[in-house]
Amino acid sequence: MITVPSSFHKAAFGQVIVPIVRMYVSFDKELQTSDFFTLDKSHLNGHDLLKSSAIDNPAQNWDFYLYKDYSDRLVNANWERRLEFPYQIQCGMADFTFDNTDGYFTPLSPNSPIGESNLPARPFRMYAGFNNHIQILPQMVGLTTGLPDLNNGSRTVDYHGIDFLYDICNHTLRNIVDMRDVTTDQVIAAILEDYGLAPSQYQLAKGRYTIPFVFFDIGEDAGDALKQLVQSENGYMWLDEKGVVRFETVSSINSDTDIEAKLTDYDIMSLQPGTINDIVNHVRITAEIREVQEWQEVYTKSESRETVSDSLWVVRPGETLEMSCNLSDPCYDIVAPTQGKASSVSWFTAIDQSMHDVTDGVKATGRLTSNAYIVTFENTHAYAVEINEMKLWGEPAKVYDVINYDAYDDLSVEEYGEQLLEISDNQFFQTYYQADMYAKSIIAQRKTYGRNITAQIKGDFAFQLMDQIEIETSTKEYDGIYRIMGISYSYNGKQLVTNLDLGNGTVIKDGVFTLNVSHLDGEDLIQ
Amino acid sequence: MITLTIQDAQDIISFDTILSSPIILTPIINETDVETIDGNISTYYGSTKRQYQFKIAWLDATTYAKIIGFRDRQYANLKYPRISITGATNINVSDMVAKITVSEQEVVDKCGTVENVVLTFRESKQMP
């Protein structure tokens, strides 16, 4: 819950409610200041920007753009934030419609002052509050997608936007992420920095688990990586309303006694139970546990015995040859081979067309991928050479154990049939304890029908994901404590429709020592 | 005497004597009532705008054409005209931006006189 005075909640749940939504867009992506950080002049943590080649990076600069207020043109706005099951990463989206009577937003229109800037990926900020309250709260920061849809009949224009975390999840890695013995937050930080975020733009709780080996190749999907990491921690990741990426582990989730709001009959328009598909009563997790080994031989190219073959590694005079060497295990590191046989390091040998040894003049460089080592040979001679033998030494991450975890709730299976959640693609589950914590939480939250409900309520813009709320109605049908797993708002100038996706509030923290909850000398572990 | 003045960037017209018929004021309240599960209601309120309607018995062809000019220019120039109403107790309209709507044209003689003209002015805001 965003901290606001009680009068804000009163305005949200009152008799006559006057919501207001403010919409700001930076079409031209102009920066607030043209000042760049100058030594002996600028102040640390001041307003000056660090000049970089990524100055046009909307992610890094979202705080520094000049946003223009288009609220007066806003016809309607829909926005939602949601934690996607079973990964628990927020997905934020917004649709907003502007009055376009004068062609202001029509791309390429001579009447449009923003014509040439009316392009995809324009940063926007959305705020909401209540007319009789001074406080207006940030709701979303993100980027528009695509070009606007023109509605010529109604003379309006529709924009679709996604929050920055959604964009981060859609990006593919530009650099290799190769780490060992790191905590989850360190890996997440590496992925966020690959996207272009500065450390000031994210706040990550320290991961509970150490990952022995991580390797993400260039081009791999950042979203998949983040989902797996967050899931293995049973944590949560979201972009807060101010635009800071947040990651929390289960340890930092509020204890069950912290109720942020109580909703009663006069706050709720309708309550709907979820579907049978929301039930999970059986969790199966399969994961390989890898550990980085000592330096050892990881690839061998045996001495070639043929004289003419397409499979020969022939480097033409003055040219290069790139070969992909498939690895049986991913490697943390491999040393580039040098010319001439050697022990305990990578090496290669070369021969000329007369089968005589070539002892110099061939250089090799290499690049590691998730399942191969790409080696490039450069031949400086004026004659062709053949790379006839090679050994690569590296630090392979070998499987030393396999987790086959299986948990289910007998009673629920009997009542609703087996509702299985199978996870076999997440290699960040590194211990049975980790799998157990995750599975127990999921089953506790989802084993019975009605533990997940959708509530249409009077909207309170201070609500945040994972807030714990209590439903207390006269029918008592769905009374209980829930966590907000999704919030959607729809505003059209004369009505605000707010829907909450509410999940069962149970969070299994067994074994995690929590201040003011756990007992000293009890069973919980201090991390 | 009640005077209605319509003006835009290109023209201005005032009616001083012909507004003997009633002026209908319709408040347009942007609101939605929602019913909570206990059967009570709450109201989401956005804004209140005014709408004035004049029912004019007849207009000569020239005046009618001028009014049609205001209506058409709001589409051509992408700006609504402004109206003022003076001389009526409890009606205080000064330089109000309003969309103008004109009823169908009932021509009743060779001079082009139009009968039963209904002018509707719906308050709005002016685009910058």
Side-chain angles (χ1 to χ4, degrees):
Chain A
M1 179 85 75
I2 300 175
T3 305
V4 288
S6 60
S7 55
F8 189 92
H9 303 303
K10 204 173 168 186
F13 291 102
Q15 206 159 48
V16 177
I17 307 161
V18 190
I20 51 173
V21 177
R22 312 293 298 177
M23 195 72 216
Y24 299 83
V25 188
S26 178
F27 281 104
D28 56 8
K29 298 205 292 185
E30 188 184 342
L31 295 169
Q32 285 181 18
T33 172
S34 56
D35 294 333
F36 291 101
F37 195 91
T38 312
L39 278 178
D40 299 329
K41 184 181 168 192
S42 300
H43 300 285
L44 273 178
N45 298 323
H47 291 294
D48 292 349
L49 296 174
L50 280 174
K51 191 170 186 176
S52 78
S53 57
I55 199 66
D56 195 37
N57 180 345
Q60 256 188 3
N61 293 315
W62 68 52
D63 278 341
F64 300 109
Y65 287 120
L66 271 175
Y67 291 87
K68 189 172 177 189
D69 187 353
Y70 291 100
S71 309
D72 286 352
R73 290 176 174 271
L74 191 65
V75 175
N76 60 57
N78 304 294
W79 67 103
E80 66 172 50
R81 305 188 296 271
R82 198 171 301 283
L83 289 164
E84 282 193 333
F85 180 77
Y87 298 110
Q88 297 166 170
I89 291 189
Q90 173 192 285
C91 154
M93 287 186 285
D95 291 295
F96 40 97
T97 302
F98 288 135
D99 182 354
N100 193 38
T101 306
D102 55 357
Y104 189 97
F105 300 100
T106 306
L108 306 177
S109 163
N111 295 323
S112 172
I114 57 163
E116 290 179 359
S117 304
N118 200 359
L119 296 169
R122 303 294 103 174
F124 71 87
R125 282 180 175 275
M126 185 180 265
Y127 294 81
F130 298 98
N131 199 30
N132 46 352
H133 202 280
I134 196 167
Q135 209 157 357
I136 186 161
L137 304 180
Q139 294 295 298
M140 190 180 291
V141 290
L143 297 169
T144 61
T145 60
L147 287 170
D149 294 325
L150 296 172
N151 310 306
N152 289 329
S154 58
R155 291 184 165 267
T156 57
V157 62
D158 298 334
Y159 284 91
H160 180 66
I162 54 176
D163 74 2
F164 279 106
L165 187 54
Y166 197 105
D167 195 53
I168 290 167
C169 286
N170 278 341
H171 108 279
T172 51
L173 293 173
R174 288 185 280 256
N175 301 290
I176 289 172
V177 177
D178 185 12
M179 307 169 92
R180 61 186 291 186
D181 300 327
V182 284
T183 50
T184 307
D185 55 298
Q186 291 173 295
V187 187
I188 292 173
I191 293 170
L192 297 180
E193 283 171 25
D194 180 83
Y195 175 76
L197 294 194
S200 61
Q201 291 177 292
Y202 54 80
Q203 284 179 26
L204 311 177
K206 186 172 171 56
R208 298 169 66 194
Y209 306 112
T210 300
I211 306 167
F213 172 67
V214 180
F215 190 98
F216 295 120
D217 203 355
I218 293 169
E220 282 195 48
D221 192 297
D224 288 346
L226 290 172
K227 284 173 183 172
Q228 291 174 10
L229 288 160
V230 174
Q231 183 184 50
S232 69
E233 283 274 355
N234 197 17
Y236 296 90
M237 190 171 185
W238 73 99
L239 185 77
D240 73 15
E241 294 77 3
K242 292 176 182 171
V244 177
V245 177
R246 306 278 296 274
F247 165 69
E248 293 288 355
T249 66
V250 70
S251 316
S252 49
I253 293 169
N254 293 345
S255 67
D256 290 349
T257 54
D258 296 333
I259 307 293
E260 269 99 357
K262 182 190 276 188
L263 300 179
T264 59
D265 290 353
Y266 191 50
D267 307 319
I268 302 168
M269 269 71 89
S270 68
L271 291 168
Q272 292 286 332
T275 68
I276 192 86
N277 294 332
D278 293 329
I279 294 175
V280 175
N281 51 31
H282 186 175
V283 176
R284 186 181 294 149
I285 298 171
T286 311
E288 291 178 336
I289 306 174
R290 290 182 182 271
E291 193 172 68
V292 177
Q293 309 293 309
E294 294 293 314
W295 285 92
Q296 57 189 264
E297 195 177 302
V298 293
Y299 180 86
T300 302
K301 179 195 182 313
S302 302
E303 189 173 3
S304 53
R305 304 197 181 281
E306 296 165 285
T307 51
V308 179
S309 168
D310 289 342
S311 64
L312 295 180
W313 293 13
V314 175
V315 195
R316 295 175 185 279
E319 293 188 9
T320 59
L321 173 72
E322 186 175 280
M323 298 303 299
S324 177
C325 308
N326 292 333
L327 303 169
S328 55
D329 291 297
C331 282
Y332 173 68
D333 197 9
I334 288 182
V335 174
T338 52
Q339 196 169 0
K341 286 187 179 179
S343 63
S344 304
V345 292
S346 301
W347 58 264
F348 67 92
T349 56
I351 54 175
D352 62 16
Q353 281 178 308
S354 310
M355 310 290 278
H356 293 130
D357 288 343
V358 178
T359 56
D360 61 7
V362 182
K363 291 177 189 165
T365 53
R367 180 174 65 82
L368 195 55
T369 72
S370 54
N371 57 6
Y373 185 72
I374 313 296
V375 58
T376 303
F377 298 98
E378 182 186 357
N379 178 11
T380 60
H381 293 294
Y383 52 87
V385 298
E386 183 209 336
I387 309 301
N388 66 329
E389 197 175 355
M390 185 177 77
K391 284 190 193 302
L392 295 176
W393 278 64
E395 293 174 287
K398 289 185 179 293
V399 175
Y400 74 93
D401 197 2
V402 175
I403 291 178
N404 280 308
Y405 178 89
D406 201 62
Y408 52 89
D409 184 277
D410 279 337
L411 196 59
S412 174
V413 172
E414 196 174 310
E415 286 180 349
Y416 305 106
E418 186 184 63
Q419 304 291 332
L420 175 67
L421 171 66
E422 182 154 25
I423 300 168
S424 57
D425 61 347
N426 190 340
Q427 302 309 312
F428 296 111
F429 282 106
Q430 290 290 305
T431 63
Y432 278 90
Y433 174 81
Q434 211 175 336
D436 191 44
M437 288 299 100
Y438 177 78
K440 276 182 176 169
S441 282
I442 296 297
I443 290 174
Q445 290 163 8
R446 294 178 169 264
K447 64 182 177 183
T448 56
Y449 180 68
R451 289 208 162 201
N452 296 278
I453 61 173
T454 300
Q456 187 180 334
I457 63 162
K458 297 177 188 175
D460 187 338
F461 298 123
F463 280 171
Q464 289 177 304
L465 296 180
M466 288 305 288
D467 280 352
Q468 192 154 250
I469 63 166
E470 185 175 1
I471 300 279
E472 188 181 280
T473 60
S474 49
T475 63
K476 302 194 181 306
E477 207 172 359
Y478 299 107
D479 283 10
I481 294 169
Y482 299 87
R483 284 192 186 279
I484 299 177
M485 309 307 287
I487 312 174
S488 70
Y489 298 100
S490 178
Y491 172 75
N492 66 359
K494 60 181 179 181
Q495 189 178 6
L496 176 71
V497 178
T498 307
N499 283 298
L500 300 183
D501 289 346
L502 299 172
N504 178 269
T506 308
V507 176
I508 302 293
K509 293 186 176 185
D510 286 353
V512 183
F513 189 91
T514 309
L515 272 179
N516 301 327
V517 175
S518 300
H519 301 285
L520 276 176
D521 300 326
E523 292 179 352
D524 293 349
L525 303 171
I526 295 176
Q527 293 185 80
Chain B
M1 187 185 299
I2 298 173
T3 303
L4 164 67
T5 304
I6 313 171
Q7 66 174 319
D8 63 11
Q10 286 169 255
D11 203 356
I12 182 167
I13 186 171
S14 287
F15 301 83
D16 289 330
T17 57
I18 57 175
L19 296 176
S20 54
S21 59
I23 303 170
I24 303 167
L25 166 60
T26 311
I28 298 171
I29 303 173
N30 278 307
E31 63 174 354
T32 306
D33 290 340
V34 291
E35 189 176 317
T36 47
I37 55 177
D38 58 1
N40 292 307
I41 61 165
S42 275
T43 302
Y44 280 105
Y45 170 75
S47 59
T48 301
K49 298 292 177 186
R50 294 167 288 177
Q51 179 173 285
Y52 293 96
Q53 200 170 65
F54 298 88
K55 293 185 175 174
I56 302 167
W58 59 269
L59 281 175
D60 64 75
T62 308
T63 308
Y64 184 82
K66 283 192 119 186
I67 291 173
I68 292 298
F70 285 109
R71 183 198 64 186
D72 292 347
R73 279 195 299 278
Q74 71 185 351
Y75 300 116
N77 298 338
L78 307 174
K79 285 197 171 182
Y80 297 135
R82 294 172 181 275
I83 66 164
S84 298
I85 303 169
T86 56
T89 307
N90 293 336
I91 294 180
N92 183 23
V93 176
S94 176
D95 221 19
M96 181 181 90
V97 177
K99 180 186 177 187
I100 177 172
T101 311
V102 185
S103 62
E104 62 189 2
Q105 187 177 3
E106 288 182 43
V107 181
V108 293
D109 61 23
K110 286 182 181 175
C111 301
T113 304
V114 184
E115 271 192 1
N116 301 321
V117 180
V118 180
L119 300 181
T120 308
F121 299 94
R122 200 285 194 191
E123 182 183 12
S124 186
K125 65 163 283 180
Q126 196 68 277
M127 286 290 183

